[in-house]
């Protein structure tokens, strides 16, 4: 937003727009989206992906929340928050609800707060967690608990089992591969947190396998951000300046 402030001043030195006013414009634009849906014929398929991005604004960081239709790639809502917490999630979801969105399935990352809040705001919606984020989280835990060189030699072994679990085609395969992980963990107690994390995600993984219509990831949000960022750079307009590591979050 501060970059947008500089861009506007650079185009016309007689125009001064503060970044705080730009933020209010973006928030107002979010509230105008239902009207845009009617004008441009944007439909909500009911399969929604939500993600949040950590964006740097001249040394300060804020979170941009986005809701995107998984089937049409339409941006349904966008808003800015200063913290990434249950309060922000609740505010964002209630704004979606106020706009008339009634999702069948909501796919998010593994951020703590989504599970309980989605059940509160959209009790009839199925909450799915991105399979990519879940597998990545498991890999991070493995690295954490296999720190010394001798232990790291076992990384490939347990990582292969994790990949098998997330590549399962049936619920039976999920159960079989998790049992293999259980047997492996029995000989390496320091990997118990990995097994606990997989067991917490097991039900959602089986739901995805049994319901092909449910999005496996929320990558549609990433794609939309990339498209918007590229367009704004060409137009010399608002540039989120999202760091590479935040796009990989």
């Amino acid at each position: 937003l501060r970059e947008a402030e500089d861009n506007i001043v650079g185009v016309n030195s007689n125009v001064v727009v503060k970044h705080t006013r730009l933020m209010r414009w973006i928030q107002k634009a979010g509230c105008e989206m239902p009207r845009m849906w009617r004008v441009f014929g944007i439909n909500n398929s009911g399969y929604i992906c939500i993600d949040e991005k950590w964006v740097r604004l001249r040394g300060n960081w804020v979170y941009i929340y986005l809701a995107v239709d998984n089937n049409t790639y339409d941006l349904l809502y966008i808003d800015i928050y200063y913290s990434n917490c249950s309060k922000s999630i609740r505010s964002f979801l209630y704004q979606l609800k106020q706009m008339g969105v009634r999702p069948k399935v909501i796919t998010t990352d593994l951020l703590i707060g989504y599970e309980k809040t989605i059940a509160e705001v959209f009790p009839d919606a199925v909450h799915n967690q991105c399979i990519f984020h879940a597998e990545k989280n498991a890999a991070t835990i493995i690295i954490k608990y296999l720190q010394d060189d001798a232990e790291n030699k076992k990384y490939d072994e347990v990582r292969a089992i994790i990949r098998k679990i997330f590549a399962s085609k049936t619920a039976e395969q999920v159960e079989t591969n998790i049992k293999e992980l259980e047997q492996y963990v029995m000989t390496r107690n320091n990997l118990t947190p990995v097994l606990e994390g997989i067991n917490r995600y097991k039900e959602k993984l089986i739901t995805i396998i049994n319901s092909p219509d449910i999005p496996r990831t929320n990558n549609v949000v990433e794609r939309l951000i990339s498209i918007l960022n590229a367009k704004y750079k060409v137009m010399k307009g608002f540039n989120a300046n999202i760091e590479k590591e935040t796009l990989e979050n």
Side-chain angles (χ1 to χ4, degrees), residues 142 145-159 161 180-195:
I142 294 170
Y145 289 95
L146 295 179
Q147 294 181 353
D148 60 77
D149 293 339
E151 294 291 335
N152 279 329
K153 294 178 181 178
K154 300 295 182 180
Y155 174 83
D156 290 339
E157 295 178 4
V158 66
R159 190 73 178 89
I161 300 174
E180 182 181 353
L181 179 62
E182 289 174 348
Q183 294 173 356
Y184 188 91
V185 171
M186 285 178 63
T187 63
R188 315 193 68 80
N189 292 331
N190 57 340
L191 289 177
T192 300
V194 178
L195 178 60

Side-chain angles (χ1 to χ4, degrees), residues 33-42 75-77 99-101:
M33 282 187 174
R35 189 177 302 172
M36 292 171 60
W37 297 351
R38 293 192 292 272
V39 172
F40 295 104
I42 297 175
L75 176 62
L76 302 177
Y77 187 57
M99 293 163 64
V101 177

Side-chain angles (χ1 to χ4, degrees), residues 6 14 31 60 83 100 114 120 129 134 144 148 160 163 190 247:
D6 294 340
N14 294 322
C31 295
N60 296 318
S83 61
Y114 274 122
E120 171 192 329
Q129 291 176 320
K144 178 180 178 181
D148 60 77
R163 289 195 184 97
N190 57 340
L247 287 175

Side-chain angles (χ1 to χ4, degrees), residues 49-234:
C49 295
I50 296 176
D51 204 355
E52 65 287 336
K53 291 302 163 191
W54 202 28
V55 181
R56 187 176 183 179
L57 303 178
R58 284 272 182 95
N60 296 318
W61 293 85
V62 296
Y63 292 91
I64 295 182
Y65 280 68
L66 304 99
V68 180
D69 190 290
N70 184 75
N71 295 345
T72 66
Y73 283 25
D74 286 327
L75 176 62
L76 302 177
Y77 187 57
I78 181 172
D79 210 342
I80 298 175
Y81 297 93
Y82 287 103
S83 61
N84 199 19
C85 61
S86 295
K87 184 177 180 180
S88 299
I89 295 171
R90 182 175 290 104
S91 173
F92 186 80
L93 292 178
Y94 270 115
Q95 286 290 339
L96 271 177
K97 189 171 186 177
Q98 186 177 8
M99 293 163 64
V101 177
R102 296 296 183 269
K104 301 173 185 175
V105 177
I106 300 176
T107 301
T108 70
D109 57 20
L110 275 64
L111 179 65
I112 296 174
Y114 274 122
E115 185 87 33
K116 183 177 179 181
T117 311
I118 288 175
E120 171 192 329
V121 182
F122 296 112
D124 296 329
V126 174
H127 176 217
N128 174 45
Q129 291 176 320
C130 172
I131 195 170
F132 169 77
H133 283 91
E135 186 172 354
K136 184 178 178 181
N137 183 64
T140 301
I141 296 175
I142 294 170
I143 294 174
K144 178 180 178 181
Y145 289 95
L146 295 179
Q147 294 181 353
D148 60 77
D149 293 339
E151 294 291 335
N152 279 329
K153 294 178 181 178
K154 300 295 182 180
Y155 174 83
D156 290 339
E157 295 178 4
V158 66
R159 190 73 178 89
I161 300 174
I162 297 297
R163 289 195 184 97
K164 285 173 60 177
I165 292 172
F166 285 98
S168 300
K169 302 298 183 183
T170 65
E172 291 74 16
Q173 286 183 4
V174 173
E175 297 288 356
T176 299
N177 292 328
I178 288 179
K179 286 181 180 178
E180 182 181 353
L181 179 62
E182 289 174 348
Q183 294 173 356
Y184 188 91
V185 171
M186 285 178 63
T187 63
R188 315 193 68 80
N189 292 331
N190 57 340
L191 289 177
T192 300
V194 178
L195 178 60
E196 292 174 348
I198 294 296
N199 278 326
R200 282 195 299 270
Y201 190 76
K202 180 176 72 172
E203 183 178 342
K204 294 188 181 300
L205 180 57
I206 291 175
T207 299
I208 293 173
I209 291 172
N210 292 334
S211 306
D213 290 339
I214 294 180
R216 297 176 67 86
T217 72
N218 59 356
N219 290 345
V220 64
V221 182
E222 296 283 7
R223 296 187 192 121
L224 180 64
I225 290 174
S226 298
I227 292 170
L228 291 176
N229 203 35
K231 286 184 178 294
Y232 283 129
K233 283 182 178 179
V234 171

Side-chain angles (χ1 to χ4, degrees), residues 1 5 17-25 82:
L1 293 179
E5 175 185 334
V17 180
K18 294 296 183 182
H19 71 280
T20 50
R21 180 177 293 276
L22 289 171
M23 184 176 71
R24 289 195 294 271
W25 286 350
Y82 287 103

Side-chain angles (χ1 to χ4, degrees), residues 4-20:
E5 175 185 334
D6 294 340
N7 288 336
I8 292 173
V9 174
V11 173
N12 188 337
S13 59
N14 294 322
V15 177
V16 178
V17 180
K18 294 296 183 182
H19 71 280
T20 50

